[in-house]
Amino acid sequence: MTSTRLYTALSLTGLLLLAACGSDMRTMPNSHMQSLASLFAERDVHAPMPRGWRQLNGKEINYRFANETYAVYSVDEDEELLVMHLSDNGAGRLEADDDWESCTWNSMIDQLNIECDDTDMEWRIYTNGPDIVAVDLDEEEFAVLRKRPGG
């Protein structure tokens, strides 16, 4: 890495830290999200959803996710797993562990599919209105999603 790129990366990191006011963006940002994680941490992915929750169909998934950025949080650990940026043209990128990769995505009938060079994911998406959780169909576990500004 050249010194200019390193300086730019360090400057951006510093600005992000200042913007976050010392909070760690990789932990769940509030008690509401922690409550959601607790609700789904011990839930079987094949069990009926709690009252008020429903599965999104493909059209609703497109509406909610196109041109948006979401942080994906583990329900078992208080940490961010990845950040996904999905464009309306079917392209996107995933960021995890300070690394990112380009991806393609689509929604089919009732699930969100993301294909990257090293990662393929298939998720069912659920909402109670303002909140969104996903079931990873390969890992058979829940994750809490939170919309983030930017893209």
Side-chain angles (χ1 to χ4, degrees):
M1 183 180 276
T2 67
S3 61
T4 304
R5 290 180 73 192
L6 179 61
Y7 177 77
T8 303
L10 288 174
S11 297
L12 288 173
T13 301
L15 288 173
L16 287 173
L17 288 173
L18 286 173
C21 298
S23 67
D24 186 353
M25 296 279 292
R26 291 176 290 197
T27 60
M28 288 194 188
N30 58 45
S31 62
H32 175 72
M33 287 188 65
Q34 291 169 352
S35 296
L36 283 175
S38 176
L39 176 66
F40 289 99
E42 300 300 321
R43 180 171 288 281
D44 181 347
V45 297
H46 302 291
M49 291 298 283
R51 185 181 188 130
W53 286 85
R54 66 179 185 82
Q55 186 172 354
L56 296 181
N57 65 36
K59 190 174 189 177
E60 292 171 309
I61 291 170
N62 279 337
Y63 178 77
R64 290 253 187 154
F65 287 87
N67 293 320
E68 296 293 351
T69 300
Y70 280 89
V72 180
Y73 295 90
S74 167
V75 296
D76 298 322
E77 303 165 16
D78 185 16
E79 69 178 3
E80 181 182 276
L81 299 173
L82 59 94
V83 175
M84 58 183 182
H85 310 272
L86 304 177
S87 301
D88 64 357
N89 64 359
R93 73 176 190 196
L94 297 182
E95 295 180 24
D97 299 324
D98 298 324
D99 193 21
W100 69 274
E101 60 182 312
S102 295
C103 305
T104 59
W105 73 278
N106 64 59
S107 60
M108 293 179 9
I109 304 171
D110 65 352
Q111 70 186 41
L112 173 62
N113 301 309
I114 301 174
E115 296 179 16
C116 308
D117 292 336
D118 298 328
T119 308
D120 290 339
M121 293 180 278
E122 296 177 344
W123 289 342
R124 286 191 316 247
I125 309 294
Y126 296 90
T127 186
N128 65 355
D131 302 313
I132 297 177
V133 297
V135 173
D136 183 323
L137 298 176
D138 294 327
E139 301 292 327
E140 293 197 344
E141 60 188 20
F142 286 96
V144 176
L145 280 65
R146 180 173 189 229
K147 190 185 290 190
R148 287 175 100 186

